Amino acid sequence: MAHESNLKRIWVVFGILSVITIVEVILGIYKPAALHLTSFFGTSPLNWLFIILTLVKAYYITWAFMHMEGETKWLRRSVVWTAVFLICYLVTLLLIEGDYLHSTLAPLVKW
């Protein structure tokens, strides 16, 4: 019986991660103008949506495959919060540097 519940859980995790990935791919292919051609906090809402969906997938992968739901509260927090903080920090730095490079190189390069 335990094998069946683990197999079911694997398929549920696979389904959830697949749905999120399919949504990301569809949005990346079609790039809705309302999300892509506007600006919100320095980048387009489409980029923010990708960032949020990626964080959700990273959190869920950590939760499911590292078996964080069975660990103590503080171990879960130390692992998950550290990863989320580092990912948010990396995204912030990439957005700042990318904006600087774009504004600096825009007059020189035909995008």
Side-chain angles (χ1 to χ4, degrees):
M1 287 295 184
H3 179 69
E4 289 178 27
S5 64
N6 288 335
L7 186 60
K8 180 182 176 186
R9 183 160 189 262
I10 289 171
W11 281 108
V12 168
V13 170
F14 173 75
I16 291 170
L17 294 175
S18 295
V19 166
I20 294 172
T21 303
I22 289 168
V23 167
E24 287 178 331
V25 169
I26 289 171
L27 288 173
I29 290 172
Y30 290 110
K31 291 183 184 177
L35 295 175
H36 178 60
L37 300 177
T38 58
S39 182
F40 182 72
F41 285 125
T43 189
S44 71
L46 185 63
N47 285 346
W48 284 115
L49 192 59
F50 285 142
I51 292 166
I52 291 167
L53 289 175
T54 301
L55 285 172
V56 168
K57 284 196 316 187
Y59 180 83
Y60 195 68
I61 288 169
T62 303
W63 186 262
F65 293 118
M66 293 177 69
H67 307 288
M68 283 291 143
E69 72 274 6
E71 298 296 337
T72 63
K73 178 171 60 171
W74 288 105
L75 178 64
R76 287 193 312 252
R77 288 180 179 175
S78 66
V79 171
V80 173
W81 287 1
T82 302
V84 168
F85 170 76
L86 290 175
I87 291 169
C88 289
Y89 183 65
L90 174 68
V91 166
T92 302
L93 291 178
L94 288 173
L95 289 173
I96 291 170
E97 292 296 322
D99 184 53
Y100 170 76
L101 284 175
H102 185 268
S103 63
T104 304
L105 297 176
L108 305 172
V109 178
K110 183 176 180 181
W111 302 99

